[in-house]
Amino acid sequence: MESIGVGLIGTGFMGKAHAIAWNAVKPVFGDVPSIRLAHLGETSDELASLKAVEFGFAKSSGDWRKVIADPEVDVVSITTPNRFHAEMAIAALKAGKHVWCEKPMAPKLAEAETMLAAQRRSGKVAVLGYNYIQNPAIRHIRKLLDEDTIGAVNHVRIEMDEDFMADPAAPFQQRHEAVNGWGAIDDFGVHPLSLVRTLFGSVARVMCDMAKPYPTRKTENGDRDVEVYDIATILMRLENGASGLIALSRTAWGRKGRIAIQIVGAKGSILYDQERMNEFQLYVTSDRATEQGFRTVLTAPHHKPYDRFVPAAGHSLGFNDLKIIECRQLIGRMRGEETAAITFDEGILIERTVAAMARSFEEGCWIDI
Amino acid sequence: MESIGVGLIGTGFMGKAHAIAWNAVKPVFGDVPSIRLAHLGETSDELASLKAVEFGFAKSSGDWRKVIADPEVDVVSITTPNRFHAEMAIAALKAGKHVWCEKPMAPKLAEAETMLAAQRRSGKVAVLGYNYIQNPAIRHIRKLLDEDTIGAVNHVRIEMDEDFMADPAAPFQQRHEAVNGWGAIDDFGVHPLSLVRTLFGSVARVMCDMAKPYPTRKTENGDRDVEVYDIATILMRLENGASGLIALSRTAWGRKGRIAIQIVGAKGSILYDQERMNEFQLYVTSDRATEQGFRTVLTAPHHKPYDRFVPAAGHSLGFNDLKIIECRQLIGRMRGEETAAITFDEGILIERTVAAMARSFEEGCWIDI
Amino acid sequence: MESIGVGLIGTGFMGKAHAIAWNAVKPVFGDVPSIRLAHLGETSDELASLKAVEFGFAKSSGDWRKVIADPEVDVVSITTPNRFHAEMAIAALKAGKHVWCEKPMAPKLAEAETMLAAQRRSGKVAVLGYNYIQNPAIRHIRKLLDEDTIGAVNHVRIEMDEDFMADPAAPFQQRHEAVNGWGAIDDFGVHPLSLVRTLFGSVARVMCDMAKPYPTRKTENGDRDVEVYDIATILMRLENGASGLIALSRTAWGRKGRIAIQIVGAKGSILYDQERMNEFQLYVTSDRATEQGFRTVLTAPHHKPYDRFVPAAGHSLGFNDLKIIECRQLIGRMRGEETAAITFDEGILIERTVAAMARSFEEGCWIDI
Amino acid sequence: MESIGVGLIGTGFMGKAHAIAWNAVKPVFGDVPSIRLAHLGETSDELASLKAVEFGFAKSSGDWRKVIADPEVDVVSITTPNRFHAEMAIAALKAGKHVWCEKPMAPKLAEAETMLAAQRRSGKVAVLGYNYIQNPAIRHIRKLLDEDTIGAVNHVRIEMDEDFMADPAAPFQQRHEAVNGWGAIDDFGVHPLSLVRTLFGSVARVMCDMAKPYPTRKTENGDRDVEVYDIATILMRLENGASGLIALSRTAWGRKGRIAIQIVGAKGSILYDQERMNEFQLYVTSDRATEQGFRTVLTAPHHKPYDRFVPAAGHSLGFNDLKIIECRQLIGRMRGEETAAITFDEGILIERTVAAMARSFEEGCWIDI
């Protein structure tokens, strides 16, 4: 692989993050082929052209199919709204392109299954945009678990909370329609589940409750029923038998990007919060009793691949840096390396767990996965 | 009420805390009758006599019935193991004494109901030892809720975690026998429920899971099955419709006295953690957007009755001080004041919720209370 | 010593704290003689009588000399404004009483020296009210230093900040007159110095700056010049050669009882903040590099004498509890034990350091002590 | 300005940071000309060529003079060791190039003055690499100060601590030679001074102490004297009269990238710590008294230019992102915009303050600047 030709579809929050990552991955990591920013797709020629200049892409199109058809393109970043993922990813895979698709796979489990089938037929790499698992802190936590630093894990709690839907006076928006899914469990829940997979493996069963703090929202024509659930609370059992819970809220005032993880083992505990993504906390019983306490460990060059960004400890990576690492993992997969990434193979397990949560809520009982 | 004659049964952790409180309540609060430390009961004359000297009691007995029978005694502190609460409290109430009984009421719901019946027949005051609700921080949080500072509450999470059962190598102890109850839900769960009651009112329904991280423990004669559950996770709905969860663990390494509360309302959020009991956090949307954040508020004299202990802000109360406040509340009740305290009337609601949790776990479904 | 007869002069903030301590020391510690609350002195018979009832004292007087003359009194708590300390302490010592005197010794160094001389002549115990050094956390930090846990200390920073003088609109008060001393360096500075003494030993030299954020204050008759300095910043060298600094402010908005200590050694660091007095932080290089971090250690029964208050870790002591420990230390001294307490012998070293700070500020140069 | 041709000299820690910034500034900000990565200089042709591929530069040279001479180059990033800054910057300015030079200007004040003179003669833009001032949190703090949110500032404390020189067993290195300057005051001190300038303006006078925790270090031929000071403590007065202090340590175990700022005003306080660079704390007296507390504010899109990186609040920027912002500011200056950046004009004030600190230490007295 002399160089990698990149196609990018979508230029919103995630589209820009992909663009930044594609620009930075070579300067940051060095050990990757040259990156050719080949073709950018948007909903109009004008927007595509404008963004191509900004993001440094050579060509642009108002039709995403041209991006996928472009022989200069080896891999396609798909960062459009969730309902377009399936069609685009399947088309790209059929065209023999690798795929870097934003999470979740698709609003309906059936669609996600067809995406996986397409990937399997193509033999191409298809990586999902679960960037939180790429944090050197998270990867180090995984290493600590592998090394049995805290012993066998018996209990896990993950909370994901933001407040962008917290204002009851904010108007009805498309997000409140059932066509977009369930709300918290798919919009947020997939992130905690990506962390569960990365750190512990599979979820065996779930018991889910959902709540709708603001059942109606204002429109220009009066109030309209909100069809999704901004809050979800889930009891779970992992395959290894550990008990746990996931709590999700998009209406938690004051929380901005919280993903708080608590892991308890037989010999210690680990804590993490995405809002302070450059640190984690570790408690181990091997410390002398009178000085046992949660250590706040700042990420540093020895927590790989932090070192590729900054050679000094405690100097902080940012959200976009996680996407750069994810991009490096994708490239590794394209080169046959065993990198840490959630591909369609693993992503489908996340989607199935979300579907089980939904069924559990509807039936009011535990659902096995 | 010229003075109050005190009887104390039990001198362990809680017995000593009651003794300290009875010694301190007058110097701290001033506005109470003189306290006569009349009669201390323990399991032997020797121990009773020794502790009476230490705690300043005039008389002592190796038979708790003598404490209750003593005409010098107006109120009896019952701080013995839970399985003795019912017999002692009922006897004391029958003898016309007020009762200050440690939590929970009794291992079995039926016993607790007989305690309540005895209290109702007697017309005497019977207060339970739910000291965490007495923290000026908690009382101020209640005030903020009453004032609608964070709007209608739509979501609540309470975690109570300690690590005194966390060592898998620790031997089997009496606590692991089913005769003592369920484990986490009654040993710990009653505290979060006391806070739910104080802050929000009643729980409407629960869905409970329990886990046993170490199913066997060592004895001198080989391993023995652990009959209780050190971990419990509970989904709940409050009567006002808010969703919530309670998570309990006695095996959470690194947690020592954690009771972490998260309250989300339509206009803000409140956080609290018992391990930092002299502060709480408040987020309100009335702050300017660019400076909204969780305020760490240190308790101070304006958070009553902090002022009775220290006239300077941020100087910290301790665990025993909460018991002194509880003692003052009890005395208030004895004088007909409407103080904040959990009496048998309210305590029974807590016990019934615990029973519902147990049934929910056994049946694998939601239970209404 | 069968029992201890106590005299108390003053019933303000510190007077009440002493009263609470005298009531609690026996129930909390057990291993002390019975405490007789013999005689309470205040500025009028009425107030003295009222407070005697509240605090449980047998006798009361509107004349403090009667307290000192009372043969029932073995030890006198002196909690009056600083300018009365010398006269009262000297009289008490002359009358053959032990003395528990609030800090600082006196507004003028010369007076403090006479107090020390009186103590030496009397052969009685004279302990100063430096309660912050009694925190189990501080005592454990001292132990860690003794055990060389962090290696030779090379740098120390102590900040003490509150905000009770921070409002520029607050009126002129007696505290702003020079007759009460320098302001921050004596009102606050003595506390950090008590901690320096307890943890590290003597200060060798100081370089001090002082500032007056609000040079005038309102009175009923117009503005009046403030004669004291609410802020002081001090460079120091300890006798062991370590460099350090002390920063003091009574006008630091948001700080309520902050005493933040940073200790750096050759093998680690220790942090402490009085506003979270039930924890300290420890960083040691003996931890594996990838998990080094500041451990937040919660105080617990193994941090003596925390265990005398609560048998469970992380349950928190309060400010008044430190005074109870101080009382126990005083009683130990009265019984010839080598307890941790700052007596007049050590207190004078603190006063001399304060005097050196003042001279350094006036002369604009370093002053040796 | 159709496009900007970039020359880069040096590819270490800062060289890579500049390279990442030049690659990212257009995708992130959009509103800048196209960036041409024209010419990279290193100490050998091989290294230069290797790094040019990695960082995406078109040409490379083993001689930095070729970079400066290249007509394709409009602006030169100088990221070499401090002792080369003067020669390179002066040469670049003489060649009519804009300069982006890492901090500090030069080891000797006299050299720095010649750099300033060269910049003035050239009329070109010369910006220094003070990236910490570019944090949206810092810029928002400045805005709050401008808006008088906390009233007139009367006291400031800044601490900068790391532990990369903290190991006494680490060998002597070039950094320990006096030829590199004083140690803490120039290596670290310039960063706090850049923040002082950005937030408050000029320093009027300083009183400085320095310490050498490990006076000798191992070499292959026995111990060698350390010629620099790893610790410095500085009292200061700002031009506006506020008192303050700066404390610096390169041997503070546990600190990795700490720059802790405390700002006290007449109506509130602000806190910041670079180790948690995505938040700041604000205390204001306009909050109701019973809920006053330090608010932890997470940076968000409304804290410009955070929005250019991530459109969601609390998602975190990283260290390299600050360099991208700095790059954008530099480009702004090149286009005649009034951006926030420390040019040679302001940088010289920082260098003069460092020189005054050194003189103060040598003379043991206050030095006016």
Side-chain angles (χ1 to χ4, degrees):
Chain A
M1 196 160 35
E2 293 263 313
S3 72
I4 296 175
V6 177
L8 169 65
I9 310 177
T11 60
F13 182 175
M14 280 302 122
K16 183 167 180 175
H18 279 235
I20 292 172
W22 282 119
N23 273 280
V25 69
K26 175 84 179 171
V28 168
F29 281 95
D31 65 347
V32 294
S34 289
I35 306 299
R36 286 178 289 102
L37 303 179
H39 205 141
L40 182 148
E42 252 299 348
T43 49
S44 73
D45 286 346
E46 291 69 30
L47 182 57
S49 168
L50 183 77
K51 288 294 170 182
V53 171
E54 221 170 286
F55 295 165
F57 278 74
K59 268 176 286 181
S60 65
S61 301
D63 176 358
W64 62 269
R65 295 185 180 276
K66 291 188 184 159
V67 175
I68 282 170
D70 190 337
E72 290 291 307
V73 168
D74 302 312
V75 56
V76 182
S77 277
I78 300 170
T79 70
T80 49
N82 302 346
R83 64 184 181 281
F84 301 116
H85 289 182
E87 184 183 11
M88 291 175 176
I90 291 167
L93 290 162
K94 273 191 185 159
K97 314 297 189 188
H98 301 293
V99 162
W100 184 13
C101 181
E102 270 311 307
K103 45 72 28 188
M105 293 174 79
K108 302 278 178 206
L109 180 55
E111 284 176 304
E113 301 277 6
T114 62
M115 291 166 78
L116 173 60
Q119 181 274 323
R120 284 186 174 161
R121 275 192 305 271
S122 74
K124 292 290 164 181
V125 169
V127 161
L128 290 158
Y130 286 108
N131 53 304
Y132 295 122
I133 67 167
Q134 300 298 350
N135 190 338
I138 294 294
R139 287 168 66 167
H140 192 70
I141 290 169
R142 169 59 192 264
K143 184 161 173 282
L144 293 174
L145 296 174
D146 287 348
E147 289 175 347
D148 200 40
T149 306
I150 64 163
V153 170
N154 59 60
H155 193 55
V156 173
R157 298 182 195 151
I158 308 189
E159 296 166 89
M160 181 163 179
D161 298 306
E162 297 192 14
D163 64 3
F164 65 93
M165 308 285 267
D167 184 357
F172 191 95
Q173 42 174 292
Q174 216 208 17
R175 260 198 147 108
H176 297 116
E177 295 178 42
V179 68
N180 288 298
W182 287 94
I185 61 166
D186 35 17
D187 185 26
F188 271 18
V190 294
H191 279 302
L193 288 173
S194 75
L195 290 158
V196 167
R197 275 219 64 70
T198 299
L199 296 173
F200 315 109
S202 290
V203 177
R205 56 202 206 102
V206 292
M207 170 71 214
C208 173
D209 190 24
M210 302 192 207
K212 207 178 275 198
Y214 310 115
T216 62
R217 293 268 182 185
K218 277 180 300 191
T219 72
E220 289 184 359
N221 314 311
D223 283 1
R224 181 168 162 188
D225 284 350
V226 169
E227 298 165 3
V228 297
Y229 297 85
D230 290 326
I231 298 174
T233 45
I234 301 113
L235 308 182
M236 69 176 171
R237 289 298 182 118
L238 301 183
E239 269 197 353
N240 71 359
S243 79
L245 61 80
I246 295 175
L248 310 165
S249 175
R250 308 191 296 189
T251 55
W253 274 123
R255 305 303 196 179
K256 306 300 176 182
R258 186 177 188 236
I259 306 178
I261 308 176
Q262 302 176 63
I263 310 167
V264 180
K267 300 189 295 181
S269 295
I270 294 172
L271 308 177
Y272 173 81
D273 184 349
Q274 179 66 27
E275 283 183 358
R276 286 176 171 169
M277 60 172 271
N278 289 286
E279 58 192 63
F280 66 93
Q281 292 189 71
L282 173 67
Y283 183 99
V284 283
T285 55
S286 50
D287 290 335
R288 189 169 72 161
T290 45
E291 289 89 46
Q292 284 177 17
F294 279 100
R295 299 178 201 168
T296 301
V297 182
L298 298 177
T299 46
H302 45 220
H303 303 111
K304 306 291 172 184
Y306 176 105
D307 60 313
R308 307 313 305 244
F309 293 85
V310 189
H315 276 56
S316 299
L317 303 193
F319 179 88
N320 286 335
D321 294 333
L322 303 186
K323 216 72 194 171
I324 298 171
I325 301 174
E326 190 177 277
C327 185
R328 172 64 187 79
Q329 307 293 84
L330 165 74
I331 293 169
R333 290 277 173 144
M334 287 165 58
R335 299 197 297 191
E337 298 166 16
E338 267 305 312
T339 62
I342 291 187
T343 58
F344 283 11
D345 273 307
E346 295 215 55
I348 200 72
L349 301 175
I350 293 173
E351 310 278 334
R352 286 174 196 155
T353 308
V354 169
M357 288 176 185
R359 219 182 108 210
S360 165
F361 171 60
E362 291 178 312
E363 303 185 7
C365 63
W366 287 89
I367 299 291
D368 293 329
I369 294 141
Chain B
M1 196 161 35
E2 293 263 312
S3 74
I4 296 175
V6 177
L8 169 66
I9 309 177
T11 61
F13 182 175
M14 279 303 122
K16 183 168 178 173
H18 281 235
I20 291 172
W22 283 118
N23 273 280
V25 67
K26 176 83 181 170
V28 168
F29 281 95
D31 65 348
V32 295
S34 291
I35 306 299
R36 285 177 291 103
L37 304 179
H39 205 141
L40 180 150
E42 251 299 346
T43 49
S44 74
D45 285 347
E46 293 68 30
L47 182 56
S49 168
L50 184 76
K51 289 294 172 181
V53 171
E54 224 170 283
F55 296 165
F57 278 75
K59 266 176 287 181
S60 65
S61 301
D63 177 359
W64 63 268
R65 296 188 178 278
K66 291 189 185 161
V67 175
I68 282 171
D70 189 337
E72 289 293 307
V73 168
D74 302 311
V75 55
V76 183
S77 278
I78 299 171
T79 70
T80 50
N82 302 347
R83 63 185 182 280
F84 300 117
H85 289 181
E87 184 183 10
M88 291 175 176
I90 292 166
L93 289 162
K94 273 191 184 158
K97 313 297 188 189
H98 302 292
V99 163
W100 184 14
C101 182
E102 270 311 307
K103 45 70 33 188
M105 293 176 78
K108 301 277 179 207
L109 180 57
E111 285 177 303
E113 302 277 6
T114 62
M115 290 167 78
L116 174 61
Q119 181 273 326
R120 285 188 175 160
R121 274 192 306 272
S122 74
K124 291 289 163 183
V125 169
V127 162
L128 290 158
Y130 286 108
N131 51 304
Y132 296 121
I133 66 168
Q134 301 297 350
N135 189 338
I138 295 294
R139 288 168 66 169
H140 192 69
I141 290 169
R142 170 59 193 263
K143 186 163 172 280
L144 293 174
L145 296 175
D146 288 347
E147 288 174 349
D148 199 39
T149 305
I150 62 164
V153 170
N154 58 62
H155 192 55
V156 173
R157 298 182 195 151
I158 308 188
E159 295 166 271
M160 181 163 179
D161 300 306
E162 297 194 13
D163 65 4
F164 65 94
M165 308 286 265
D167 185 357
F172 191 95
Q173 43 175 291
Q174 217 208 16
R175 260 196 147 110
H176 296 115
E177 295 178 41
V179 68
N180 288 296
W182 285 93
I185 61 166
D186 36 15
D187 185 25
F188 272 18
V190 294
H191 280 301
L193 289 173
S194 75
L195 290 158
V196 167
R197 275 219 64 71
T198 300
L199 296 173
F200 315 109
S202 290
V203 177
R205 57 201 205 102
V206 292
M207 169 72 213
C208 174
D209 189 23
M210 301 192 206
K212 207 178 276 198
Y214 310 115
T216 63
R217 294 268 182 184
K218 279 181 300 193
T219 73
E220 290 182 358
N221 312 312
D223 284 1
R224 182 170 161 188
D225 285 350
V226 170
E227 298 165 4
V228 297
Y229 298 84
D230 289 327
I231 297 174
T233 45
I234 300 112
L235 308 182
M236 68 176 172
R237 289 298 182 116
L238 302 184
E239 269 197 354
N240 70 359
S243 79
L245 62 80
I246 295 176
L248 310 166
S249 176
R250 307 191 298 189
T251 56
W253 275 122
R255 305 304 195 178
K256 306 301 176 182
R258 185 177 189 236
I259 307 177
I261 308 175
Q262 302 177 63
I263 310 167
V264 180
K267 298 189 296 182
S269 295
I270 294 172
L271 308 177
Y272 173 83
D273 184 349
Q274 179 65 28
E275 284 183 357
R276 287 178 171 168
M277 60 173 270
N278 289 286
E279 58 193 63
F280 65 92
Q281 292 188 70
L282 172 67
Y283 183 99
V284 284
T285 54
S286 50
D287 290 334
R288 189 170 71 162
T290 47
E291 289 88 44
Q292 284 179 16
F294 279 100
R295 299 177 200 170
T296 301
V297 182
L298 298 176
T299 46
H302 44 220
H303 304 113
K304 305 291 172 186
Y306 177 104
D307 60 313
R308 309 312 306 241
F309 293 85
V310 189
H315 277 54
S316 298
L317 303 193
F319 179 88
N320 285 336
D321 294 334
L322 303 186
K323 217 70 194 173
I324 298 171
I325 301 175
E326 188 177 280
C327 186
R328 172 63 187 80
Q329 307 293 84
L330 166 74
I331 293 169
R333 291 278 174 142
M334 288 164 58
R335 298 197 296 193
E337 298 165 17
E338 268 304 313
T339 63
I342 291 188
T343 58
F344 284 11
D345 274 306
E346 297 215 55
I348 200 72
L349 302 176
I350 293 174
E351 311 277 334
R352 285 173 196 156
T353 308
V354 169
M357 287 177 186
R359 219 182 108 209
S360 165
F361 170 61
E362 290 178 312
E363 303 186 5
C365 63
W366 287 89
I367 298 292
D368 293 330
I369 293 142
Chain C
M1 197 158 36
E2 293 264 312
S3 73
I4 295 175
V6 177
L8 169 66
I9 310 177
T11 60
F13 182 175
M14 280 302 122
K16 182 168 179 174
H18 280 234
I20 292 172
W22 283 118
N23 273 281
V25 68
K26 176 83 179 171
V28 169
F29 281 93
D31 64 348
V32 295
S34 289
I35 307 299
R36 285 177 290 103
L37 304 179
H39 205 142
L40 181 151
E42 251 300 347
T43 48
S44 74
D45 285 348
E46 292 68 29
L47 182 57
S49 168
L50 183 76
K51 289 294 171 180
V53 171
E54 223 170 284
F55 296 166
F57 279 75
K59 267 176 287 181
S60 65
S61 302
D63 176 1
W64 62 269
R65 295 185 179 277
K66 291 188 186 161
V67 175
I68 281 170
D70 189 337
E72 290 291 307
V73 169
D74 301 312
V75 54
V76 182
S77 277
I78 300 171
T79 70
T80 50
N82 301 347
R83 64 185 182 280
F84 300 117
H85 289 181
E87 183 182 11
M88 291 174 177
I90 292 167
L93 289 162
K94 274 192 185 157
K97 314 297 189 188
H98 301 294
V99 163
W100 184 13
C101 182
E102 270 311 306
K103 46 69 30 186
M105 294 175 78
K108 302 278 178 204
L109 179 56
E111 285 176 303
E113 301 279 5
T114 62
M115 291 166 79
L116 174 60
Q119 181 274 327
R120 284 185 176 161
R121 273 193 305 273
S122 75
K124 291 290 165 182
V125 168
V127 160
L128 289 158
Y130 286 109
N131 52 305
Y132 295 122
I133 67 168
Q134 301 298 348
N135 190 337
I138 294 293
R139 287 168 67 166
H140 192 69
I141 291 170
R142 170 59 192 263
K143 186 161 172 284
L144 292 174
L145 296 176
D146 288 348
E147 289 175 348
D148 199 39
T149 305
I150 63 163
V153 170
N154 59 60
H155 192 55
V156 173
R157 297 183 197 151
I158 308 188
E159 295 166 90
M160 180 163 179
D161 299 306
E162 297 193 12
D163 64 3
F164 65 94
M165 308 284 265
D167 185 356
F172 191 95
Q173 44 175 291
Q174 217 210 16
R175 259 194 148 110
H176 296 117
E177 295 179 40
V179 67
N180 287 298
W182 285 95
I185 62 166
D186 35 17
D187 186 26
F188 271 19
V190 295
H191 279 302
L193 289 172
S194 75
L195 290 158
V196 168
R197 276 218 63 71
T198 300
L199 297 173
F200 315 110
S202 289
V203 177
R205 56 200 206 105
V206 291
M207 169 72 213
C208 174
D209 189 25
M210 300 192 208
K212 207 178 276 198
Y214 310 114
T216 62
R217 292 270 182 184
K218 278 180 300 192
T219 71
E220 288 183 359
N221 314 310
D223 283 0
R224 183 169 159 186
D225 286 351
V226 169
E227 297 164 4
V228 296
Y229 297 86
D230 289 327
I231 297 173
T233 46
I234 300 114
L235 308 182
M236 69 176 170
R237 289 297 183 118
L238 301 184
E239 269 198 353
N240 70 358
S243 79
L245 62 80
I246 295 175
L248 310 166
S249 175
R250 308 191 296 189
T251 55
W253 275 122
R255 306 302 196 180
K256 306 300 178 184
R258 186 178 187 234
I259 307 179
I261 307 177
Q262 301 178 62
I263 308 168
V264 181
K267 299 189 296 181
S269 296
I270 295 173
L271 308 177
Y272 173 81
D273 184 350
Q274 179 65 28
E275 282 183 359
R276 286 177 170 168
M277 59 173 271
N278 288 287
E279 59 194 62
F280 65 92
Q281 291 189 71
L282 172 68
Y283 183 100
V284 284
T285 55
S286 51
D287 289 336
R288 189 170 72 161
T290 45
E291 289 89 44
Q292 285 179 15
F294 279 100
R295 297 178 202 170
T296 301
V297 182
L298 298 177
T299 46
H302 45 221
H303 304 113
K304 306 291 172 185
Y306 176 104
D307 60 313
R308 308 312 306 244
F309 293 85
V310 189
H315 276 55
S316 299
L317 303 193
F319 179 88
N320 286 336
D321 294 333
L322 303 186
K323 217 71 195 173
I324 298 171
I325 300 174
E326 189 177 277
C327 186
R328 174 62 188 80
Q329 307 292 85
L330 166 75
I331 293 169
R333 290 277 173 143
M334 288 165 57
R335 298 197 297 191
E337 299 165 17
E338 268 304 313
T339 62
I342 290 187
T343 59
F344 284 10
D345 274 306
E346 296 215 54
I348 200 72
L349 301 175
I350 292 174
E351 309 278 334
R352 286 175 196 154
T353 307
V354 169
M357 288 176 186
R359 221 183 106 209
S360 166
F361 171 59
E362 290 178 312
E363 302 185 8
C365 63
W366 286 89
I367 298 291
D368 292 330
I369 292 140
Chain D
M1 198 159 36
E2 292 264 313
S3 73
I4 296 175
V6 177
L8 169 66
I9 309 176
T11 60
F13 183 175
M14 279 304 122
K16 184 168 179 174
H18 280 234
I20 292 171
W22 283 119
N23 273 281
V25 68
K26 176 83 180 170
V28 169
F29 281 95
D31 64 348
V32 294
S34 290
I35 307 297
R36 285 177 290 102
L37 304 179
H39 206 141
L40 180 150
E42 250 300 345
T43 49
S44 74
D45 285 347
E46 292 68 32
L47 183 56
S49 168
L50 184 76
K51 288 294 171 181
V53 170
E54 224 170 283
F55 296 166
F57 278 75
K59 267 175 287 181
S60 65
S61 301
D63 176 0
W64 62 268
R65 294 186 180 278
K66 291 190 186 159
V67 176
I68 281 171
D70 189 337
E72 290 291 307
V73 168
D74 301 312
V75 55
V76 182
S77 276
I78 299 171
T79 71
T80 51
N82 301 346
R83 64 184 181 281
F84 301 116
H85 289 181
E87 184 182 10
M88 290 174 176
I90 291 167
L93 290 162
K94 273 191 184 156
K97 315 297 190 190
H98 301 293
V99 163
W100 184 13
C101 182
E102 269 312 306
K103 46 66 36 186
M105 293 175 80
K108 302 280 178 206
L109 180 56
E111 285 177 303
E113 301 278 6
T114 61
M115 291 166 79
L116 174 60
Q119 181 274 325
R120 284 188 175 160
R121 274 193 304 272
S122 74
K124 292 289 164 183
V125 168
V127 161
L128 290 158
Y130 286 108
N131 52 304
Y132 295 121
I133 66 168
Q134 300 298 350
N135 190 338
I138 294 293
R139 287 167 67 168
H140 193 69
I141 290 170
R142 168 61 192 263
K143 185 162 172 282
L144 293 174
L145 295 175
D146 287 348
E147 288 175 348
D148 200 40
T149 305
I150 64 163
V153 170
N154 59 61
H155 192 56
V156 173
R157 298 181 196 153
I158 308 188
E159 295 166 90
M160 180 162 179
D161 299 306
E162 298 193 13
D163 65 3
F164 65 94
M165 309 284 267
D167 185 356
F172 191 95
Q173 43 175 291
Q174 217 209 16
R175 260 197 147 108
H176 297 116
E177 294 177 42
V179 67
N180 287 297
W182 286 93
I185 61 167
D186 34 18
D187 186 26
F188 271 19
V190 295
H191 279 302
L193 289 173
S194 75
L195 290 158
V196 167
R197 275 219 64 70
T198 300
L199 297 173
F200 316 110
S202 291
V203 177
R205 57 201 207 103
V206 291
M207 169 72 214
C208 174
D209 190 23
M210 301 192 206
K212 208 177 274 199
Y214 310 116
T216 63
R217 292 269 181 184
K218 278 180 302 191
T219 72
E220 290 182 359
N221 313 310
D223 284 1
R224 183 170 160 188
D225 285 351
V226 169
E227 298 165 3
V228 296
Y229 297 85
D230 288 329
I231 297 174
T233 44
I234 299 112
L235 308 181
M236 68 177 171
R237 289 299 182 117
L238 301 183
E239 268 197 355
N240 72 358
S243 79
L245 62 80
I246 296 175
L248 310 166
S249 175
R250 307 191 298 189
T251 56
W253 275 123
R255 304 304 195 178
K256 307 302 178 183
R258 185 179 188 234
I259 306 178
I261 308 176
Q262 302 177 61
I263 309 167
V264 181
K267 300 189 295 182
S269 295
I270 295 172
L271 308 177
Y272 173 81
D273 184 349
Q274 179 66 28
E275 283 183 358
R276 287 178 170 167
M277 59 171 272
N278 288 287
E279 57 193 64
F280 65 92
Q281 291 189 70
L282 172 67
Y283 183 99
V284 283
T285 55
S286 51
D287 289 335
R288 188 170 72 161
T290 46
E291 289 89 43
Q292 285 178 15
F294 279 99
R295 298 179 202 171
T296 300
V297 182
L298 298 176
T299 46
H302 45 220
H303 304 113
K304 305 291 172 186
Y306 176 105
D307 61 313
R308 308 315 303 244
F309 294 84
V310 190
H315 277 54
S316 298
L317 304 193
F319 179 88
N320 286 334
D321 294 334
L322 303 186
K323 217 69 194 172
I324 299 171
I325 301 175
E326 189 178 276
C327 186
R328 172 64 186 78
Q329 306 293 84
L330 165 74
I331 293 169
R333 289 279 174 144
M334 287 164 60
R335 297 198 297 193
E337 297 167 18
E338 269 305 313
T339 62
I342 290 188
T343 58
F344 283 11
D345 274 306
E346 296 215 54
I348 201 70
L349 302 175
I350 292 173
E351 308 279 335
R352 286 174 196 155
T353 307
V354 170
M357 288 177 185
R359 221 182 107 210
S360 164
F361 171 59
E362 290 178 311
E363 302 186 7
C365 63
W366 286 90
I367 299 292
D368 292 331
I369 293 141

